């Protein structure tokens, strides 16, 4: 099963992607300030994508990054 990383997963577009793709793929959802919503098929990770090390950490095991 492919792993998809969705950046900005609590925003309007990201949250809809998380809800629609979580049925078929493993989702790593990235958020910064806004608290995540509950979804049992999603692994949430707090990261600041302006930080290079955070970017490396969240993209390390992903097949697709959105």
């Amino acid at each position: 099963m492919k792993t998809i990383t969705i950046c900005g997963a609590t925003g309007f577009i990201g949250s809809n992607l998380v809800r629609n793709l979580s049925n078929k793929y493993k989702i790593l959802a990235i958020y910064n300030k806004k608290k995540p919503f509950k979804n049992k098929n999603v692994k949430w990770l707090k990261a600041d994508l302006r930080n290079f090390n955070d970017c490396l950490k969240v993209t390390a095991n992903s097949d697709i990054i959105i």
Side-chain angles (χ1 to χ4, degrees):
M1 181 178 282
K2 290 191 179 210
T3 300
I4 299 176
T5 297
I6 300 176
C7 302
T10 57
F12 178 74
I13 294 171
S15 63
N16 283 297
L17 284 170
V18 168
R19 286 185 184 101
N20 289 318
L21 295 176
S22 64
N23 297 334
K24 299 177 185 176
Y25 302 98
K26 290 196 292 187
I27 303 293
L28 175 61
I30 310 302
Y31 72 100
N32 187 17
K33 294 180 183 175
K34 193 173 178 184
K35 293 192 179 214
F37 53 90
K38 300 213 186 276
N39 189 321
K40 63 180 179 170
N41 298 325
V42 177
K43 179 180 177 186
W44 292 95
L45 183 61
K46 183 175 173 100
D48 184 354
L49 298 179
R50 296 173 292 180
N51 181 321
F52 182 71
N53 291 328
D54 281 357
C55 290
L56 291 177
K57 182 171 58 171
V58 301
T59 59
N61 297 319
S62 297
D63 297 309
I64 300 169
I65 301 168
I66 300 174

